[in-house]
């Protein structure tokens, strides 16, 4: 198997210090975070010996983690060669966003009906905080904080199992959505969509809130799609 040396893997959460988390789960979470954050780029080979050495674990939990990642289609297991990070694809991108539009529109519909004065104040504060983040912080920070704004809404009217579904598809989208922000003023466009969503919440307009959620997700599809297509065609 050929390929460059494994990059330094990030440790994104305190969960890695939690002794209740199994070694294989810890390795899985580290690799998953590295793939979704593009530390491990599409097509990168994952050598079990390098992963185990860097993370100071045996190769057994590494193999278990790779099998789990392969079921999520984040890693491709190739017989007699090893494992590599799955390539991006337009088809997967479209499938992820088709699901996201359905579940997030339902979430916002339920939640807007239940918004209290106190929750609206919390949303206004979070939106105001986004202004300085949109102007000064990194893209990673902005994406993290704008998602927290939306989750404040979604959690109000959704069960924990439904929230887990929403989070799963948002995580699957991580490898794709960053391509929507390669254009000038992309963050400001996104911030403006959050202003529209807040206004719909304040007016209690569920239909408008649904349309804005769909508009925001379509913006990512339409903006990231051509960039992704160009990247994929250059690799052929």
């Amino acid at each position: 198997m050929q390929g460059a040396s494994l990059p330094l893997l990030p440790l994104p959460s305190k969960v890695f210090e939690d002794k209740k988390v199994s070694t294989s789960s810890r390795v899985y979470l580290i690799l998953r975070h590295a793939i979704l954050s593009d530390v491990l780029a599409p097509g990168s080979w994952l050598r079990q010996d390098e992963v185990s050495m860097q993370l100071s674990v045996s190769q057994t939990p590494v193999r278990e983690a790779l099998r789990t990642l392969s079921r999520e289609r984040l890693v491709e297991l190739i017989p007699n060669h090893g494992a590599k990070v799955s390539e991006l694809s337009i088809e997967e991108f479209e499938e992820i966003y088709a699901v996201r539009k359905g579940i997030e529109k339902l979430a916002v519909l339920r939640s807007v009906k239940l918004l209290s004065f106190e929750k609206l104040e919390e949303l206004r504060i979070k939106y105001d905080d986004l202004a300085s983040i949109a102007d000064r912080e990194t893209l990673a920070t902005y994406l993290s904080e704008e998602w927290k704004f939306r989750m404040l809404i979604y959690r109000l009217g959704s069960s924990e199992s439904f929230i887990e579904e929403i989070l799963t598809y948002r995580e699957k989208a991580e490898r794709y959505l960053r391509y929507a922000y390669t254009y000038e003023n992309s963050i400001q466009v996104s911030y403006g969509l959050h202003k529209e969503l807040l206004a719909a919440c304040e007016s209690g307009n569920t239909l408008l809130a649904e349309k804005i959620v769909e508009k925001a997700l379509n913006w990512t599809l339409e903006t990231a799609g051509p960039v992704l297509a160009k990247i994929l065609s250059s690799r052929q």
Side-chain angles (χ1 to χ4, degrees):
M1 182 177 63
Q2 309 231 339
S5 296
L6 188 73
L8 183 64
L9 297 171
L11 304 181
S13 168
K14 291 182 179 179
V15 71
F16 305 121
E17 300 172 5
D18 188 347
K19 294 181 179 179
K20 295 179 181 178
V21 177
S22 68
T23 302
S24 61
S25 294
R26 187 175 291 112
V27 173
Y28 157 76
L29 290 167
I30 292 171
L31 291 175
R32 189 174 191 274
H33 175 75
I35 292 169
L36 294 177
S37 60
D38 208 35
V39 172
L40 293 172
S44 301
W45 286 99
L46 297 173
R47 293 185 57 188
Q48 291 184 26
D49 57 346
E50 287 190 353
V51 175
S52 62
M53 183 179 298
Q54 186 176 141
L55 300 181
S56 301
V57 299
S58 70
Q59 291 192 32
T60 299
V62 175
R63 283 194 295 271
E64 292 173 354
L66 291 174
R67 282 196 292 267
T68 302
L69 289 166
S70 72
R71 289 194 290 271
E72 295 184 4
R73 297 196 298 177
L74 290 174
V75 163
E76 184 179 0
L77 301 179
I78 302 174
N80 303 317
H81 286 82
K84 69 176 182 178
V85 178
S86 298
E87 296 286 355
L88 301 175
S89 77
I90 292 292
E91 291 77 17
E92 182 183 48
F93 179 42
E94 292 173 342
E95 289 165 6
I96 290 169
Y97 273 78
V99 175
R100 286 193 69 187
K101 281 188 279 188
I103 59 180
E104 291 184 36
K105 283 170 62 180
L106 177 57
V108 79
L109 169 66
R110 291 171 170 173
S111 293
V112 170
K113 294 177 180 179
L114 300 173
L115 279 169
S116 63
F117 175 81
E118 291 77 15
K119 184 59 68 173
L120 279 171
E121 280 301 301
E122 189 177 352
L123 282 172
R124 292 184 187 110
I125 292 169
K126 189 64 179 175
Y127 173 78
D128 289 340
D129 289 343
L130 272 178
S132 60
I133 292 170
D135 287 335
R136 301 186 184 93
E137 298 295 337
T138 64
L139 175 59
T141 300
Y142 173 75
L143 290 176
S144 174
E145 294 304 312
E146 67 86 19
W147 182 240
K148 290 177 184 177
F149 172 84
R150 277 191 278 167
M151 286 305 295
L152 279 176
I153 303 172
Y154 294 163
R155 287 187 184 278
L156 187 61
S158 301
S159 64
E160 279 305 310
S161 60
F162 193 46
I163 288 296
E164 286 178 11
E165 193 75 6
I166 291 171
L167 290 172
T168 294
Y169 276 89
R170 162 67 183 211
E171 289 171 347
K172 289 182 177 182
E174 288 286 347
R175 295 210 296 165
Y176 295 95
L177 64 84
R178 67 174 63 88
Y179 292 109
Y181 293 85
T182 57
Y183 299 99
E184 188 177 358
N185 297 324
S186 295
I187 288 179
Q188 292 303 323
V189 172
S190 171
Y191 179 66
L193 290 168
H194 288 72
K195 181 179 182 179
E196 292 182 38
L197 182 56
L198 176 60
C201 290
E202 289 174 328
S203 66
N205 192 327
T206 55
L207 181 60
L208 181 59
E210 281 187 280
K211 287 182 177 179
I212 293 166
V213 165
E214 184 172 29
K215 178 182 176 181
L217 294 169
N218 279 335
W219 174 79
T220 303
L221 272 169
E222 293 162 4
T223 309
V227 178
L228 180 60
K230 185 175 180 180
I231 291 171
L232 294 177
S233 64
S234 69
R235 294 177 182 171
Q236 294 177 354

